[in-house]
Amino acid sequence: MLVASRHGAHPRRRRAGGNGVADELALPLAGGLALLLAFVTAAAVLSGGDRREEGDRRRPDLPGGAAGPRVAIFSAPLHPPDGSPARQELAVRSWLALPGNVSVVLLAAHPSAHALAGRLGGRVTVDAAIDISFTGTPFFHSIVARAQAADSDICVLVDAEIILLPETITLLKHFSRSDLDWFVFSASRNISAFPYHLVDNGTQWADEHGKQVSFKKENQSDKWAGHGSDRGLIVAWNNPSTRMVAGVMPSFLNGRGVHNWWLIHEVLSSETRLVFDASNLVLGLYPENFSEKRGTSTSRNVSNPDGSWEYDVNRHLAAVYGSYCYELPRRNSPMVYKVVKQFEDYMFSKNEGPNLSNSVINKEQNVHPEGGSLCEKEISYSSAVNLPHSLEMLLELVADKNRSVVLAVAGASYRDMLMSWVCRLRRLRVTNFVVCALDQETYEFSVLQGMPVSRDTLSPNNVSFDDCHFGTQCFQQVTKVKSRIVLKILRLGYNVLLSDVDVYWFHNPVSFLHSLGPGTFAAQSDEFNQTGPINMPRRLNSGFYYARSDDATITAMEMIVKHATNSGLSEQPSFYDILCGKDGANRIGDDRCLEPSTNLTVVFLSRDMFPNGAYGGLWEKKHGVSSACRELGCVIIHNNWVNGRRKKLHRQMASGLWDYDPGSRLCLQNWSNASRFSVQTDDPVSYDS
């Protein structure tokens, strides 16, 4: 279990200038931000002065031509029917109407996000390079990591349908005058109607009669009711590249509850930043109750159950990881400072009582209206995290238009390699894959990492962590599971591309393999000789093959499974002996076989396009395997012909053909900080308590 350090790095201090030490509960911020630091014995108050950010610059294309901190607003809009394009456009227009240097980044891959950005101009960009689960729900830790990689002074995270008011920028400008690291949050307000629209090229609000409004008089904290929903929170922080939490963020599903409150609590308990609660101010409005949208799914159809299970995943993560469900010590506990406004001056006061008693914990009950404590329920809840999807439901959900699916089978020893394989497929926009987990540990890991995963209950229970490579008894047992699962899926009417997780994909091969036509079984050749036939005895690799759901293939697979069951070897020799005959009796030419009883044609794939781990010494090329494969025209490359899990992991990581950072549990993106990821030769990172 990851528990945040109680002695993390303190916020960066600016040089004291005769401000002294104070214990006042309320201090004015007029003329600049006064910040209160509560350390071991005293609270030091530092005024922000009138210093301007080094990056401040005036831009004539911004509303009012105002200068100020560079503010980047990040949001992950849902696509219809779960998101409202009209509300999203109104919200984003309100962000662009904020005075100052504001830009917007929409984190989404669906066409509606690109269409919205296209209508709103150059200050709105779309970035699809974030981690997304198989349901289409983005991961919150990936969104936060993307924001922290931003070239801006201040980052803001907000739901895509929340209207931001000018008070937001006014407050952030005050905070930006400080050198300290800070984090501020605010609950948006519910309104039954929003009778305002933007005029003057989107820079000024007007009411239904066309009268301009400033929201200064209208913006009264008691006019609209605050909403404690996690989704209704607005969070912002400065110095994006500076660390926010002491531990690693778990893989929360964005918009599925708890994650914003968890982040606030973890930032506070990590003591890396000063934390401010601006919920007394009206920074954002939402024209509908968030609670009415709870339980919706991002990919609703007959095969996808109600999305409420995603909320269960988030509650589980919040209870298990970090300090969210653990009482912080009263003595020297970190403080949340409330921000209020009197006339034109901001003031703040520190909460009395331990940790978040007045800011977060009380609001937690509003997030869970069914009653009871999230923490009490989850800590006492010992059952594993499960998907409500059967294998049949997953296949229906992910299969492509040709009813083809990609299958990976993996256990705990190859968990990180499985995740790198999944990250690569996500980057290639391959969504028609399913994972079969050989053990409960891998199943739960896969669920929390957003994979469409099914647990094979008939898998062997004694799968070795380090001794399950080619030639071992464990390897023989595991490979026989793969052919049995493939046969099951074929019988359900789906074509299957079986890909081991040590197969790196440069391109998506499914369309090419499907184009070989019915009555064809395509497999990788394991022949290592540069010249000569590639269909020699025992040279069919059962770690990468495409099988169609037709009578000939199903019959042949049934014979393979039966042969492998009665064999003391792995399944791989059974594939060759059944399909190509003993000693290659059914070979045709140099790259084919013909199974006589089914008339099934077996195609051994070109090694230039589908090389194995020994072909051409590609993994050992001085200029790199990636460059060598690019010249050769590789579609995939298999990381086999290497003995042992550790050597296999090291070779793939060192080559650069690796797409997962185990330390952050994130797929590597073009914005990722590659310097923080290094080649690992020891065991994969453990995520368990």
Side-chain angles (χ1 to χ4, degrees), residues 65-84:
R70 295 170 299 159
V71 178
I73 301 176
F74 292 85
S75 190
L78 299 175
H79 58 79
D82 299 308
S84 167

Side-chain angles (χ1 to χ4, degrees), residues 101-374:
N101 192 342
V102 177
S103 60
V104 175
V105 182
L106 302 178
L107 302 171
H110 48 85
S112 60
H114 289 275
L116 177 59
R119 291 193 299 271
L120 298 183
R123 285 198 290 143
V124 181
T125 58
V126 178
D127 190 348
I130 57 169
D131 294 1
I132 298 176
S133 77
F134 78 95
T135 64
T137 305
F139 282 105
F140 181 68
H141 68 319
S142 183
I143 292 174
V144 172
R146 172 63 184 88
Q148 288 186 283
D151 181 23
S152 62
D153 302 313
I154 298 173
C155 289
V156 179
L157 297 186
V158 62
D159 185 88
E161 297 181 12
I162 291 179
I163 297 166
L164 293 181
L165 302 180
E167 186 79 47
T168 305
I169 292 297
T170 305
L171 178 67
L172 294 180
K173 281 185 176 180
H174 274 279
F175 274 87
S176 72
R177 295 169 183 165
S178 170
D179 283 332
L180 298 168
D181 291 336
W182 49 261
F183 181 95
V184 60
F185 67 94
S186 178
S188 60
R189 304 304 177 100
N190 285 336
I191 54 174
S192 57
F194 187 71
Y196 307 105
H197 60 279
L198 286 164
V199 296
D200 294 342
N201 294 321
T203 61
Q204 177 63 52
W205 289 102
D207 63 19
E208 53 193 345
H209 304 294
K211 182 180 179 181
Q212 293 188 356
V213 292
S214 66
F215 286 111
K216 290 184 177 180
K217 293 182 179 180
E218 294 84 351
N219 190 0
Q220 298 174 5
S221 60
D222 58 350
K223 183 174 182 178
W224 295 300
H227 198 286
S229 165
D230 187 84
R231 186 176 167 187
L233 286 171
I234 304 162
V235 300
W237 66 95
N238 68 334
N239 300 323
S241 61
T242 304
R243 193 175 188 179
M244 284 207 298
V245 298
V248 176
M249 288 188 63
S251 51
F252 289 114
L253 292 161
N254 188 60
R256 298 301 185 255
V258 185
H259 55 71
N260 279 320
W261 285 125
W262 183 94
L263 177 61
I264 295 166
H265 193 283
E266 211 63 21
V267 172
L268 183 71
S269 63
S270 298
E271 298 185 67
T272 57
R273 293 171 177 265
L274 293 174
V275 179
F276 295 87
D277 180 359
S279 295
N280 284 328
L281 308 178
V282 181
L283 303 185
L285 303 174
Y286 185 72
E288 184 180 325
N289 195 322
F290 276 115
S291 62
E292 295 176 4
K293 303 180 76 64
R294 186 187 187 280
T296 58
S297 170
T298 55
S299 301
R300 290 175 292 185
N301 58 39
V302 294
S303 65
N304 194 20
D306 187 283
S308 59
W309 66 270
E310 294 183 317
Y311 291 83
D312 295 336
V313 167
N314 277 13
R315 287 197 293 268
H316 172 81
L317 290 171
V320 172
Y321 292 98
S323 59
Y324 186 74
C325 284
Y326 296 87
E327 184 77 10
L328 299 180
R330 289 176 175 268
R331 192 173 186 180
N332 300 328
S333 62
M335 286 282 185
V336 173
Y337 299 95
K338 285 196 172 185
V339 181
V340 297
K341 192 172 187 179
Q342 293 185 3
F343 303 104
E344 295 300 316
D345 291 333
Y346 291 107
M347 306 181 71
F348 67 86
S349 63
K350 61 182 181 180
N351 282 331
E352 290 300 315
N355 53 64
L356 298 178
S357 60
N358 296 322
S359 289
V360 175
I361 301 302
N362 289 343
K363 293 178 182 178
E364 181 181 305
Q365 299 302 325
N366 295 329
V367 182
H368 311 289
E370 65 271 17
S373 167
L374 172 152

Side-chain angles (χ1 to χ4, degrees), residues 405-411 418 421-422 425 433-438 451-454 482 485-486 489 496-502 543:
V405 297
V406 181
L407 172 67
V409 180
L418 164 66
W421 182 83
V422 168
L425 264 61
F433 69 90
V434 292
V435 174
C436 176
L438 296 174
M451 302 181 211
V453 59
S454 177
K482 296 190 293 185
I485 296 298
V486 169
I489 297 175
V496 181
L497 171 55
L498 185 283
S499 175
D500 283 351
V501 297
D502 62 350

